[in-house]
């Protein structure tokens, strides 16, 4: 019995030793798998975060995993792409602002320099002065537009809302534009229902003003501009239609981008910064409304603004 028991104990010891060995090996294997599957991706994410904080967005993470880590990596990639886009947009915005400021300033400097010449004939002197006046006005409009945009960007809920008469406001816009309309011999059709709108009257005024100014600017002499406003159910719709030059279909989605002008060369000299529609869209969105454009080259353009409202005409 005894030798057998010793042999049995010996075998048991070997068995336990092998078992412990297998457990240790298994634990090591398990640890390696855990490190590979959990710790490694997190380390890569940490490295990616550091890269982003240094302004580098060329990040590639493995996003095919379907678990939480895969989701985290995929959301991280989306975030980095979005950050890159915002950063590029910011750089482009600064470049555009500098460009828009640079050209009137250069012109002001040039004409001011020429005016120093005491022997300049009077008519020429007056012409140079009026150019300086015009260019400084352009700079002032640009700075006001930039201020409006930044206040709409950072204080989205800073609208000073009250009820106001939309028909009276649209008539006021047409009155102010009257001189330009007569000068270009443009016919105007106004079909505006009696609508009381709840919103920021000063900001909405800027929207109508820009839409009508655009219609006047981009419609040749003798054309027609129609302004219509109606209210149904819970929506008020204002449309500004012209039978002017129109906008090519491929450029239509871009016209609401900041500084976007369809014809860069032609609008360079006019008082255009390409900010008007970007501001209009921001204002309408702040009122929970929508603004859209439809256009056919050579036939004309229609801008349609829809705003929530609570009255019928
Ligand atoms: P700003 O309004 O800042 O003085 P802008 O009129 O050029 O300058 P937006 O009002 O943003 O800028 O318009 C962007 C571009 O869309 C214009 O430059 C023009 O090319 C085009 N556009 C806008 N409205 C019309 C329209 N009614 N007909 C044809 N093109 C238009
Ligand atoms: Mg405009």
């Amino acid at each position: 019995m005894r030798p057998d028991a010793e042999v049995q104990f010996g075998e048991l010891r070997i068995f336990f030793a092998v078992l412990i060995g297998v457990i240790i090996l298994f634990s090591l294997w398990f640890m390696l798998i855990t490190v590979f599957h959990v710790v490694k991706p997190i380390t890569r994410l940490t490295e990616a975060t550091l890269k982003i904080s240094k302004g580098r967005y060329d990040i590639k993470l493995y996003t095919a995993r379907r678990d939480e880590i895969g989701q985290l990596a995929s959301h991280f990639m989306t975030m980095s792409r979005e950050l890159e886009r915002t950063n590029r947009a910011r750089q482009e915005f600064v470049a555009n602002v500098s460009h828009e400021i640079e050209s009137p300033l250069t012109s002001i400097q040039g004409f001011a320099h020429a005016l120093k010449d005491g022997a300049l004939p009077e008519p020429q002197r007056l012409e140079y002065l009026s150019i300086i006046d015009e260019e400084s006005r352009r700079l002032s409009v640009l700075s006001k537009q930039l201020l409006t945009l930044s206040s709409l960007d950072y204080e989205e809920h800073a609208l000073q809302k009250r009820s106001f008469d939309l028909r009276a406001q649209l008539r006021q816009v047409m009155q102010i534009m009257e001189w330009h309309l007569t000068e270009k011999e443009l016919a105007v059709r106004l079909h505006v229902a009696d609508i009381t709108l709840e919103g920021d009257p000063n900001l909405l005024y800027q929207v109508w003003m820009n839409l009508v100014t655009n219609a006047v600017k981009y419609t040749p002499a003798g054309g027609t501009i129609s302004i219509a406003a109606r209210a149904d159910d819970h929506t008020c719709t204002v449309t500004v239609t012209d039978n002017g030059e129109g906008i090519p279909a491929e450029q239509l989605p871009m016209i609401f981008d900041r500084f976007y002008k369809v014809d860069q060369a032609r609008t360079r000299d006019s008082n255009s910064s390409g900010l008007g529609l970007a501001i209009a869209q921001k204002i309408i969105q702040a009122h929970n409304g929508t603004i859209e454009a439809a256009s056919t080259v050579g036939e004309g353009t229609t801008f349609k603004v829809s705003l929530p409202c609570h009255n019928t005409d």
Side-chain angles (χ1 to χ4, degrees), residues 29 91 114 131 186 201 204 225 242 295:
W29 177 76
Q91 283 169 354
I131 293 174
L186 296 169
L204 288 171
I225 294 171
D242 64 64
S295 187

Short mmCIF file of all heavy atoms in Angstrom, two decimals, residues 29 91 114 131 186 201 204 225 242 295:
data_model
loop_
_atom_site.label_atom_id
_atom_site.label_comp_id
_atom_site.label_asym_id
_atom_site.label_seq_id
_atom_site.Cartn_x
_atom_site.Cartn_y
_atom_site.Cartn_z
N TRP A 29 -1.29 34.02 -21.50
CA TRP A 29 -1.90 34.14 -22.84
C TRP A 29 -3.10 35.10 -22.78
O TRP A 29 -3.27 35.97 -23.62
CB TRP A 29 -2.33 32.73 -23.28
CG TRP A 29 -3.04 32.71 -24.60
CD1 TRP A 29 -2.49 32.84 -25.83
CD2 TRP A 29 -4.45 32.55 -24.79
NE1 TRP A 29 -3.46 32.78 -26.79
CE2 TRP A 29 -4.69 32.59 -26.19
CE3 TRP A 29 -5.54 32.35 -23.94
CZ2 TRP A 29 -5.96 32.46 -26.73
CZ3 TRP A 29 -6.79 32.21 -24.49
CH2 TRP A 29 -7.01 32.27 -25.87
N GLN A 91 -9.15 78.80 -41.04
CA GLN A 91 -8.02 79.39 -41.76
C GLN A 91 -8.50 80.11 -43.02
O GLN A 91 -8.05 81.21 -43.34
CB GLN A 91 -7.02 78.30 -42.13
CG GLN A 91 -6.18 77.87 -40.94
CD GLN A 91 -5.38 76.62 -41.24
OE1 GLN A 91 -5.51 76.01 -42.29
NE2 GLN A 91 -4.55 76.22 -40.30
N ALA A 114 -2.16 109.81 -54.02
CA ALA A 114 -2.30 110.66 -55.21
C ALA A 114 -2.82 112.04 -54.84
O ALA A 114 -2.44 113.05 -55.45
CB ALA A 114 -3.25 109.98 -56.20
N ILE A 131 -13.99 107.95 -54.26
CA ILE A 131 -13.57 106.54 -54.22
C ILE A 131 -13.16 106.16 -52.79
O ILE A 131 -13.55 105.10 -52.27
CB ILE A 131 -12.40 106.28 -55.21
CG1 ILE A 131 -12.91 106.46 -56.65
CG2 ILE A 131 -11.85 104.87 -55.02
CD1 ILE A 131 -11.83 106.38 -57.71
N LEU A 186 -36.65 98.61 -62.73
CA LEU A 186 -37.14 97.27 -62.39
C LEU A 186 -38.60 97.36 -61.94
O LEU A 186 -38.96 98.27 -61.19
CB LEU A 186 -36.30 96.67 -61.26
CG LEU A 186 -34.83 96.39 -61.58
CD1 LEU A 186 -34.07 96.04 -60.32
CD2 LEU A 186 -34.70 95.27 -62.60
N PRO A 201 -37.01 91.64 -35.16
CA PRO A 201 -37.27 92.45 -36.36
C PRO A 201 -36.01 93.01 -37.01
O PRO A 201 -35.93 93.06 -38.24
CB PRO A 201 -38.17 93.58 -35.85
CG PRO A 201 -38.19 93.49 -34.39
CD PRO A 201 -37.65 92.17 -33.96
N LEU A 204 -34.31 90.09 -38.96
CA LEU A 204 -35.09 89.66 -40.12
C LEU A 204 -35.09 90.73 -41.21
O LEU A 204 -35.08 90.42 -42.40
CB LEU A 204 -36.51 89.28 -39.71
CG LEU A 204 -36.57 87.95 -38.93
CD1 LEU A 204 -37.94 87.71 -38.34
CD2 LEU A 204 -36.17 86.77 -39.81
N ILE A 225 -39.08 92.06 -60.15
CA ILE A 225 -38.81 91.43 -58.85
C ILE A 225 -40.15 91.24 -58.14
O ILE A 225 -40.94 92.18 -58.06
CB ILE A 225 -37.88 92.32 -58.01
CG1 ILE A 225 -36.51 92.40 -58.68
CG2 ILE A 225 -37.73 91.79 -56.59
CD1 ILE A 225 -35.60 93.41 -58.05
N ASP A 242 -36.74 86.85 -58.83
CA ASP A 242 -36.34 87.80 -59.87
C ASP A 242 -36.23 87.06 -61.19
O ASP A 242 -36.18 85.83 -61.21
CB ASP A 242 -35.00 88.46 -59.50
CG ASP A 242 -33.87 87.48 -59.44
OD1 ASP A 242 -33.53 86.89 -60.47
OD2 ASP A 242 -33.31 87.28 -58.33
N SER A 295 -33.02 78.12 -58.86
CA SER A 295 -32.60 79.05 -59.90
C SER A 295 -32.40 78.37 -61.24
O SER A 295 -32.05 77.19 -61.30
CB SER A 295 -31.30 79.72 -59.46
OG SER A 295 -30.96 80.74 -60.35
#
